[in-house]
Amino acid sequence: MLNYILYRLGQFIVISLPLKLGYAIAVIVSDLRYFFAYNDRRLVKGNLRAIFPKATDIQIRKMCKEVFRNFAKYLVDFFRFSKLNQAYIKKNIKIENFRYFDEALAKNKGVVVLSAHIGNWELGGVVIALSGYDFWAVVLPHKHKRVDRFFNYQRQSKGAHVIPLGRAVRQCLS
């Protein structure tokens, strides 16, 4: 319940503020989270160590802090989906190479797009859906049901369809 309340409070704050101020607050909150969330920090550092085995401890610490900051900025964008429309996309988002989608879809076989969690993957999916493409995303359900419903609503409210990870293979094949 607390996670849900914190996410909704965060959404209320960032929707009420200019985007740059929302990002600034997100960085401050993420730095506090980095400092106090020992287990999360340890897990992220472990993942970074696996990806960058030759990195120094100082480099890992800097990258870890950036992961926390980037995730907080991702949340700002995610929370502001209600403000996302064609005018916003035209003004703020650079779209490249959509012709590859069109070329693939012209074959009438569908398209499978794979994306690493680099950049704002949620925003990318919603932009695709708002651009008139039928878009389905495989998502890892959140452990808290209310948070899961909130996140899925954010996605679905902009036209993205959600496939929970547990049913992904069957639904993706169909």
Side-chain angles (χ1 to χ4, degrees):
M1 182 66 150
L2 179 60
N3 285 348
Y4 175 75
I5 292 169
L6 291 173
Y7 280 129
R8 292 307 299 252
L9 178 62
Q11 182 185 37
F12 174 77
I13 291 169
V14 300
I15 285 177
S16 303
L17 299 173
L19 182 60
K20 287 184 180 184
L21 184 55
Y23 285 147
I25 291 170
V27 167
I28 292 167
V29 171
S30 72
D31 286 351
L32 290 170
R33 178 118 177 107
Y34 173 84
F35 183 76
F36 288 108
Y38 171 78
N39 284 333
D40 290 345
R41 192 173 62 241
R42 183 180 54 78
L43 288 170
V44 171
K45 284 182 178 179
N47 289 341
L48 290 169
R49 178 67 59 207
I51 297 167
F52 303 104
K54 295 181 181 179
T56 66
D57 288 344
I58 291 171
Q59 290 171 318
I60 294 291
R61 189 169 44 249
K62 284 181 181 179
M63 286 188 283
C64 183
K65 196 169 195 177
E66 282 305 307
V67 167
F68 275 71
R69 287 178 172 182
N70 287 334
F71 185 73
K73 291 174 187 176
Y74 145 82
L75 285 175
V76 168
D77 291 334
F78 186 75
F79 291 159
R80 293 173 60 93
F81 274 6
S82 63
K83 294 182 175 271
L84 194 61
N85 56 30
Q86 289 298 327
Y88 181 91
I89 291 170
K90 233 175 222 182
K91 180 180 176 189
N92 297 295
I93 299 171
K94 182 179 179 181
I95 300 173
E96 296 180 353
N97 300 319
F98 252 106
R99 71 180 183 278
Y100 295 121
F101 266 173
D102 295 328
E103 290 171 10
L105 288 169
K107 297 176 183 177
N108 291 320
K109 294 184 179 183
V111 176
V112 175
V113 177
L114 299 175
S115 172
H117 281 194
I118 297 173
N120 192 326
W121 62 92
E122 299 275 5
L123 183 60
V126 167
V127 167
I128 290 169
L130 286 173
S131 297
Y133 295 87
D134 197 20
F135 184 81
W136 295 78
V138 176
V139 300
L140 179 66
H142 197 281
K143 63 184 173 182
H144 301 288
K145 295 274 187 227
R146 288 185 83 178
V147 173
D148 191 53
R149 283 193 301 270
F150 168 65
F151 271 68
N152 288 337
Y153 174 79
Q154 287 292 98
R155 297 167 178 130
Q156 292 167 336
S157 70
K158 293 301 174 179
H161 305 282
V162 173
I163 301 172
L165 184 60
R167 299 188 306 237
V169 173
R170 177 169 281 147
Q171 278 192 269
C172 287
L173 289 173
S174 67

